[in-house]
Amino acid sequence: MDAMDMELSLYDWSTLPCRRCRSAEHVPGELLRMARAQTPEEAKPRNIEFHVLQENWVTETAVPVARVLMAGLTDRSVSPDARRHFLDLLWSFVIVDDEDIAEACLEAVRAGVWSLYEEVLSGRSRDSALFAYWLVKEVETAPARVERLLQVARHLLPENLHEDD
């Protein structure tokens, strides 16, 4: 069992809401499918958007999903494409209109902040590094640490990144 499987097992997904289905019972399978993806197409979230999240609305299911995604980032076998989608979903969860859910998702991100630093510094993907950097900026309480991250990892981030992004 890895960290993602362990986190998935902590929730009764059949009791969590889904906007399209009777419950979020299908969500663990979707997250595992993404984590095991070997191609960019396989890594796309198909049953998260419009089920748990759509633009600025979100269900409370986003909180355990955020925790699972953060646990998934600790697994080095998760493909760069899947990691990018994990980070994109996390970013979407922390900027939703529901402040309580957004804050709970931020707490999940805060709990795994070093995984985000590793993602930026890994050099695996500029897109993933950018999402991870934005998340670090959102949760890091030490501005000097964010500044230092930008100094040492600037070459790993997209060229069009501005320091105020």
Side-chain angles (χ1 to χ4, degrees), residues 116-143:
L116 300 175
Y117 279 95
E118 194 278 333
E119 191 67 40
V120 173
L121 295 166
S122 73
R124 281 186 291 263
S125 160
R126 287 185 191 271
D127 289 339
S128 291
L130 180 61
F131 282 119
Y133 175 74
W134 284 341
L135 287 163
V136 166
K137 281 187 66 168
E138 197 68 30
V139 300
E140 182 57 71
T141 58

Side-chain angles (χ1 to χ4, degrees), residues 6-7 17 25 33 40 61 85 88 95-96 134 150:
M6 184 183 76
E7 191 64 31
E25 197 167 28
R33 182 195 61 73
T61 305
H85 287 295
D88 185 10
I95 61 169
V96 294
W134 284 341
L150 188 57

Side-chain angles (χ1 to χ4, degrees), residues 83-156:
R83 298 175 88 74
R84 182 178 54 77
H85 287 295
F86 280 19
L87 291 157
D88 185 10
L89 285 171
L90 284 163
W91 179 251
S92 297
F93 292 159
V94 303
I95 61 169
V96 294
D97 288 343
D98 187 312
E99 291 178 15
D100 293 335
I101 292 176
E103 183 55 38
C105 290
L106 277 169
E107 283 301 316
V109 170
R110 242 180 236 110
V113 72
W114 290 108
S115 293
L116 300 175
Y117 279 95
E118 194 278 333
E119 191 67 40
V120 173
L121 295 166
S122 73
R124 281 186 291 263
S125 160
R126 287 185 191 271
D127 289 339
S128 291
L130 180 61
F131 282 119
Y133 175 74
W134 284 341
L135 287 163
V136 166
K137 281 187 66 168
E138 197 68 30
V139 300
E140 182 57 71
T141 58
R145 194 171 285 131
V146 177
E147 289 172 25
R148 184 67 180 137
L149 176 62
L150 188 57
Q151 289 170 357
V152 300
R154 184 65 189 91
H155 66 287
L156 299 170

Side-chain angles (χ1 to χ4, degrees), residues 9-23:
S9 72
L10 295 176
Y11 307 99
D12 181 356
W13 295 91
S14 67
T15 64
L16 293 170
C18 175
R19 289 278 175 122
R20 289 240 168 132
C21 304
R22 192 170 29 91
S23 74

Side-chain angles (χ1 to χ4, degrees), residues 28-103:
E30 174 69 359
L31 296 171
L32 288 170
R33 182 195 61 73
M34 289 172 64
R36 295 177 181 139
Q38 297 301 310
T39 68
E41 186 59 35
E42 290 173 348
K44 289 181 181 176
R46 295 187 194 115
N47 293 313
I48 301 295
E49 296 179 273
F50 303 104
H51 292 258
V52 177
L53 167 78
Q54 181 181 350
E55 293 180 24
N56 60 351
W57 67 253
V58 68
T59 68
E60 66 192 51
T61 305
V63 177
V65 170
R67 293 175 183 147
V68 169
L69 294 172
M70 288 303 297
L73 290 175
T74 66
D75 185 343
R76 292 176 193 259
S77 71
V78 172
S79 74
D81 291 309
R83 298 175 88 74
R84 182 178 54 77
H85 287 295
F86 280 19
L87 291 157
D88 185 10
L89 285 171
L90 284 163
W91 179 251
S92 297
F93 292 159
V94 303
I95 61 169
V96 294
D97 288 343
D98 187 312
E99 291 178 15
D100 293 335
I101 292 176
E103 183 55 38

